[in-house]
Amino acid sequence: MKTKQWTVTVTIDEDDARTEARAVMTDPGAPMATGRGVARRNPTDRAVPDIGDELAVSRALEDLAQRLHDMASHDFAYLAGPATR
C-alpha cells in the first residue's frame, strides 16, 4: 500500500463583524484546491470571535470538499469508459 500525505492550511482573517477563512490543500508543495468561507456577526449579537472562526473555517472546509469532489467527478467523466491499449 502506498501512503500519501496532503496538507490543508487554514488562514483566518477577521474584523469586528466579519471573519474570512481560506483552506488550501497542497500535495507536496503544489496547491491542489482552495476553499473559502465567511461568517458575519449580526450587530445585535455578542462578539464571540471563536464562533465566527468556527463557522468561517467549517464553510471553507466544506467549500474545499466540494471542490475536490467536483475535480474527481470531472476526472472520472473525462476518463470514463474502457482504457485504450
Side-chain angles (χ1 to χ4, degrees), residues 65-76:
Q66 185 62 55
R67 290 175 188 274
L68 289 170
H69 185 270
D70 291 348
M71 288 168 55
S73 295
H74 178 268
D75 292 346
F76 182 76

Side-chain angles (χ1 to χ4, degrees), residues 19-69:
T19 303
E20 294 185 33
R22 184 172 167 221
V24 179
M25 177 174 280
T26 55
D27 176 7
M32 292 177 55
T34 300
R36 289 179 170 69
V38 176
R40 293 176 187 84
R41 181 176 58 85
N42 184 317
T44 62
D45 291 343
R46 289 182 287 166
V48 183
D50 287 347
I51 294 172
D53 293 352
E54 293 163 354
L55 283 171
V57 170
S58 69
R59 291 171 180 164
L61 291 171
E62 182 177 33
D63 184 43
L64 176 61
Q66 185 62 55
R67 290 175 188 274
L68 289 170
H69 185 270

